[in-house]
Amino acid sequence: MVAKINENYHLLKSSYIFAEINQRVEKYQNENPDADIIRMGIGDVTRPLPQAVIEEFHKAVDEMADSDTFRGYGPEQGYSFLIEDIIENDYLPRGIELSPDEVFISDGAKCDTGNIQEIFDLNNVVAVTDPVYPVYVETNVMAGRTGPMGSDGKYEKLVYLPCTAENDFVPELPQEDVDIIYLCFPNNPTGTTLTKEQLSKWVEYARENKAIILFDAAYEAYITEDNIPHSIYEIEGAREVAVEFRSFSKNAGFTGTRCAYTVVPQEVKAYDKDGNAHSLNPLWNRRQTTKFNGVSYPIQKAASAVYTPKGQKEIRESVNYYMKNAAIIRESLLDLGLKVYGGVNSPYIWIKTPDGMDSWKFFDLLLEKANVVGTPGVGFGPSGEGYLRLTAFNTLENTKQAMERISKLSI
Ligand SMILES: *Cc1c(COP(=O)(O)O)cnc(C)c1O
């Protein structure tokens, strides 16, 4: 007998994208030590935590120092003060009623979108939009729900739903039967959204086909237009087919602090081999209580401060700051005659490369001629080839500077 590894890990490809980017940037910087490189590939916020959050955070840390107010293990599902804040502020104003046992606080939407697949059978057919946030794909590869990656850049058995300029970044319903569908809107990496009507088609599909939608709404706070759903539960019937993921990372700067939540309505059901329906909620509860011990008290307190009037005002200011950058990027590139998507309801701008250049060639051009670093679209999936992503998370000054440089290129 020998200990054997999970060989599914050997199926994992790519994800070297950020390493490859760093390598190329480093090489360029070494050869051009005076180049002032502006990084616009970052998918991380840069503005500090709101003051309201910091104040609550400090207070809660002090409580931990006093035997009268010290707290040990909390509920695995999260403290009710935060769950109540979420229900009252993120859902009730949109006409969505949730019970406290339908909201699960966690340390990240990345973890939750990665872990949720555990409660589903390995034989489910999984569909993802293409390009895609790699977590959805790679966690299913690790679990053994796919075959190897083919020369087309697609894992066997996984269903890819292309989102390109040709279909206005609106995925078409799959031709084949699929059981689990990951949707992320506003989308990372394309920055595009679905209207209520467009999302309704997916809810209808899931209801008709007894499929489940895993809806990632991490960028909800960036929505500026009417008729873009902030939650999938704004769509009638979604409570029976959808799980929703939200995070404090992108709205309140919690990327390094870690707090998020997942909504699993009691009505969402999947089936056993005999065709009996089972609620997902108790399965997720079981998974979390067994494998997770909750988010720390000070962090949940800090997150609850996001819902105070002061917290709301401050997170609005940060989001507006990034969205001003997004508008600057969008408008500068449109003026140049480039085809540009996103940036209206999200901090991501998705650029069609000029003259049919491939993603890496355009990346090199921006790096060498403008000293601006983006992310090659092909790194997010085969349908990302021919695109490049810029983000609005840099400073206003750097964003303006980067756009001035790009505007001088003849592209
Ligand atoms: C940033 C991001 C998240 C948030 O992840 P956390 O683990 O909560 O920081 C989730 N989904 C997508 C698509 C993201 O880009």
Side-chain angles (χ1 to χ4, degrees):
M1 298 295 280
V2 296
K4 298 181 189 71
I5 60 158
N6 176 353
E7 290 202 31
N8 296 321
Y9 278 64
H10 283 166
L11 300 177
L12 293 167
K13 282 273 165 55
S14 74
S15 213
Y16 297 115
I17 174 127
F18 290 98
E20 173 73 23
I21 291 171
N22 284 337
Q23 245 170 39
R24 291 195 193 203
V25 173
E26 222 169 274
K27 179 166 179 280
Y28 181 82
Q29 185 81 78
N30 287 339
E31 289 164 6
N32 304 272
D34 296 333
D36 169 26
I37 294 173
I38 300 177
R39 289 181 178 264
M40 302 196 69
I42 34 173
D44 194 353
V45 296
T46 49
R47 290 171 58 86
L49 290 174
Q51 204 50 42
V53 165
I54 285 296
E55 283 162 16
E56 255 333 279
F57 207 170
H58 277 294
K59 261 198 254 167
V61 169
D62 285 339
E63 282 181 51
M64 297 299 265
D66 185 331
S67 56
D68 289 339
T69 48
F70 167 79
R71 295 181 188 235
Y73 291 126
E76 290 96 340
Q77 302 86 346
Y79 283 106
S80 57
F81 62 79
L82 181 55
I83 292 174
E84 296 294 345
D85 280 345
I86 289 166
I87 292 173
E88 274 165 36
N89 293 281
D90 288 343
Y91 290 96
L92 269 184
R94 300 194 184 277
I96 300 159
E97 290 183 26
L98 297 176
S99 68
D101 62 4
E102 294 175 320
V103 179
F104 296 84
I105 310 294
S106 78
D107 60 348
K110 179 179 181 177
C111 328
D112 288 353
T113 54
N115 292 331
I116 193 84
Q117 48 78 31
E118 279 184 29
I119 65 172
F120 296 100
D121 187 83
L122 285 181
N123 292 312
N124 283 298
V125 177
V126 173
V128 294
T129 55
D130 172 26
V132 67
Y133 182 55
V135 176
Y136 317 147
V137 171
E138 296 185 353
T139 54
N140 278 289
V141 174
M142 290 171 173
R145 235 172 244 110
T146 73
M149 184 185 271
S151 54
D152 56 359
K154 297 178 182 179
Y155 287 99
E156 268 173 30
K157 294 194 210 166
L158 212 57
V159 174
Y160 289 76
L161 309 163
C163 293
T164 60
E166 284 68 41
N167 62 11
D168 230 356
F169 302 93
V170 178
E172 274 162 42
L173 295 173
Q175 301 298 313
E176 56 276 81
D177 276 348
V178 304
D179 306 306
I180 296 170
I181 305 148
Y182 290 84
L183 295 179
C184 173
F185 291 101
N187 188 259
N188 177 12
T190 67
T192 59
T193 49
L194 295 187
T195 62
K196 281 191 186 155
E197 291 69 36
Q198 288 162 342
L199 186 57
S200 295
K201 291 203 178 118
W202 284 93
V203 170
E204 211 174 293
Y205 174 92
R207 290 169 63 87
E208 278 170 12
N209 294 279
K210 296 192 158 76
I212 299 287
I213 297 174
L214 302 174
F215 191 75
D216 186 343
Y219 295 95
E220 174 275 335
Y222 292 84
I223 295 172
T224 60
E225 292 181 313
D226 296 337
N227 203 33
I228 305 295
H230 287 247
S231 163
I232 194 167
Y233 305 118
E234 288 176 46
I235 312 294
E236 215 182 302
R239 275 188 62 95
E240 287 156 41
V241 291
V243 171
E244 179 163 289
F245 304 91
R246 295 255 194 130
S247 173
F248 295 98
S249 283
K250 310 296 165 38
N251 64 345
F254 273 57
T255 53
T257 307
R258 314 304 306 143
C259 198
Y261 63 89
T262 291
V263 178
V264 190
Q266 294 291 352
E267 294 95 313
V268 190
K269 293 195 169 89
Y271 300 81
D272 65 23
K273 59 184 183 318
D274 302 318
N276 302 310
H278 297 270
S279 291
L280 295 185
N281 181 290
L283 295 185
W284 183 244
N285 189 51
R286 192 73 173 84
R287 192 269 167 210
Q288 290 298 82
T289 50
T290 298
K291 296 196 179 185
F292 185 59
N293 244 342
V295 176
S296 86
Y297 172 73
I299 288 177
Q300 291 191 64
K301 272 299 207 188
S304 77
V306 164
Y307 297 105
T308 60
K310 186 176 173 190
Q312 286 290 298
K313 182 169 166 281
E314 290 184 276
I315 67 167
R316 211 14 64 203
E317 280 165 8
S318 274
V319 168
N320 288 346
Y321 180 93
Y322 297 133
M323 289 309 281
K324 186 175 172 194
N325 290 345
I328 290 170
I329 298 170
R330 229 184 108 79
E331 279 149 31
S332 314
L333 299 176
L334 284 171
D335 283 348
L336 261 179
L338 287 168
K339 289 211 165 67
V340 177
Y341 309 92
V344 176
N345 297 296
S346 96
Y348 296 125
I349 292 90
W350 191 242
I351 310 164
K352 180 91 192 95
T353 61
D355 307 324
M357 252 182 240
D358 71 29
S359 293
W360 277 112
K361 191 154 183 230
F362 191 47
F363 170 91
D364 286 334
L365 181 125
L366 291 184
L367 172 62
E368 287 160 21
K369 299 288 187 302
N371 296 168
V372 171
V373 180
T375 310
V378 68
F380 299 100
S383 294
E385 181 57 282
Y387 294 88
L388 181 127
R389 190 189 74 176
L390 292 184
T391 80
F393 289 131
N394 214 312
T395 61
L396 176 62
E397 295 69 34
N398 280 346
T399 302
K400 283 182 175 164
Q401 172 83 55
M403 290 308 117
E404 265 170 42
R405 291 187 199 163
I406 293 175
S407 299
K408 289 191 190 119
L409 303 179
S410 48
I411 46 178

